[in-house]
Amino acid sequence: MPAAFPDPARTATPVEWTVPRGAPGDERTAAVGAPTARLRLDLSYDGTDFRGWAAQPGRRTVQGEVEEALARICRVPLRVSVAGRTDAGVHARGQVCHLDVPHVVLDTLPGRSDRRPVDALVTRLAGVLPSDVVVHVAREVPDDFDARFGALWRRYRYRLSDGPAVHDPLRRDVLRHRRHLDVSAMARASTSLLGEHDFLSFCKPRDGATTIRTLRELRWERPDIGRADEGLVVATVVADAFCHHMVRSLVGALIAVGEGRRGEDWPAEVLAARTREAATRDGRGSAPICPPQGLTLDHVAYPPDEELAARAALARARRG
């Protein structure tokens, strides 16, 4: 974020920025507190070269690139809130974030064209974002829309190649695994994890926040020839929300089952242990974490507009 932009959150008095209107001498001034439009952005990224989503000083992150691009286009500092903060190396095909843009700024984006401001924003972002981040759609949404707390559920997919015949060096969203996996055993072991549980053994907890989540789906398959991801081992994981490292820990525990190193009852034992102590030979302890590169945030679902406020309030209350 350019240092020349003041931080509204730390400014006691209204801050003004000069916003060019596209023609020489045609300028408008936007101030903190001016009427805003809430925008939803749907985006994808290859997480290989990012240190995760969340902005970090001196490190390349998805949030940092998106906010820097927005600042270049809109000439004001804008902050985005995201549906899920992906870790370093994790990818996204269906990430969602929201931001509030002053109307006076939004109106400048089409310039002399007759495009809608949100369409102009997408086109201009494509011109300044790096090649490993794409904003597909921007749309104006109700003020009650919250990308994080308004979500009904999130779907992740984890992809592994477990043999030379399916290793593809061009796929950066697949973990290359050197041992054959028994997909049927992994699927059977997953059933005991479904439903609402305390997933402390499968996540890195945040101080003061709950580790109770509702796991809606944990499915394993090896797609046949002609289907997407043919020959790979693919996990589909759906929950209302996820704790930090939760998906990677679920996959890590089930890989141990697929390799035959642990029995099919072991993931349930890990769940019941409710501990952050590493698992020992007797099986009691937390789940191992698998590498990030096979993980992709695939989709985030939201309720109808009239239910957005209630959903966000409920999610904030549940997560502390």
Side-chain angles (χ1 to χ4, degrees):
M1 183 70 62
F5 291 141
D7 185 348
R10 299 183 180 180
T11 305
T13 57
V15 178
E16 294 185 346
W17 302 281
T18 300
V19 184
R21 292 287 292 172
D26 183 12
E27 297 179 340
R28 183 175 297 185
T29 299
V32 174
T36 60
R38 177 153 295 191
L39 303 185
R40 166 178 168 170
L41 305 183
D42 291 62
L43 63 155
S44 302
Y45 46 86
D46 176 351
T48 305
D49 298 324
F50 288 108
R51 295 297 299 172
W53 167 270
Q56 305 171 54
R59 295 190 172 187
R60 186 173 188 257
T61 68
V62 184
Q63 182 182 12
E65 293 287 355
V66 171
E67 290 184 350
E68 182 178 350
L70 288 166
R72 289 180 60 185
I73 292 168
C74 298
R75 308 292 181 88
V76 299
L78 297 169
R79 301 290 187 268
V80 297
S81 298
V82 74
R85 294 184 178 184
T86 50
D87 296 335
V90 175
H91 319 285
R93 283 194 173 90
Q95 182 67 279
V96 177
C97 64
H98 79 259
L99 67 155
D100 295 323
V101 183
H103 284 286
V104 66
V105 173
L106 195 60
D107 292 343
T108 69
L109 299 182
R112 294 187 178 91
S113 74
D114 58 358
R115 295 176 297 173
R116 297 187 308 158
V118 289
D119 295 334
L121 177 61
V122 172
T123 300
R124 297 181 66 176
L125 283 170
V128 296
L129 281 170
S131 59
D132 47 4
V133 185
V134 176
V135 173
H136 300 289
V137 178
R139 69 193 78 171
E140 192 166 345
V141 292
D143 290 343
D144 288 328
F145 180 86
D146 187 297
R148 178 187 176 192
F149 292 107
L152 289 172
W153 49 264
R154 296 145 172 92
R155 181 175 67 222
Y156 281 85
R157 286 201 166 96
Y158 198 102
R159 295 172 173 87
L160 305 100
S161 63
D162 63 342
V166 292
H167 291 332
D168 182 352
L170 301 182
R171 289 287 299 264
R172 305 217 298 179
D173 62 338
V174 178
L175 176 69
R176 182 170 176 172
H177 193 70
R178 299 184 184 275
R179 297 182 63 178
H180 177 76
L181 295 170
D182 184 340
V183 176
S184 296
M186 297 164 79
R188 290 191 296 269
S190 298
T191 58
S192 61
L193 304 177
L194 297 174
E196 183 178 85
H197 303 286
D198 186 341
F199 284 95
L200 177 62
S201 297
F202 289 90
C203 65
K204 181 179 179 180
R206 181 169 57 87
D207 289 344
T210 181
T211 51
I212 296 174
R213 296 291 188 270
T214 301
L215 187 60
R216 298 186 174 196
E217 182 179 352
L218 179 50
R219 175 168 50 89
W220 291 88
E221 61 180 332
R222 192 187 296 273
D224 295 330
I225 295 175
R227 294 180 57 199
D229 298 323
E230 65 177 66
L232 299 177
V233 176
V234 183
T236 300
V237 191
V238 180
D240 59 338
F242 293 92
C243 306
H244 193 200
H245 290 165
M246 180 174 163
V247 180
R248 290 168 57 192
S249 294
L250 289 167
V251 173
L254 290 156
I255 285 176
V257 174
E259 291 179 343
R261 293 185 289 109
R262 297 284 191 177
E264 293 180 17
D265 293 335
W266 184 65
E269 295 173 6
V270 171
L271 180 69
R274 293 180 58 192
T275 180
R276 292 305 307 151
E277 297 296 325
T280 58
R281 287 186 178 182
D282 67 4
R284 297 183 180 278
S286 62
I289 300 175
C290 65
Q293 59 262 39
L295 183 59
T296 301
L297 174 58
D298 190 63
H299 184 72
V300 184
Y302 294 93
D305 288 352
E306 62 271 17
E307 299 175 15
L308 287 169
R311 174 60 191 175
L314 178 62
R316 286 191 178 93
R318 283 182 172 174
R319 294 182 220 169

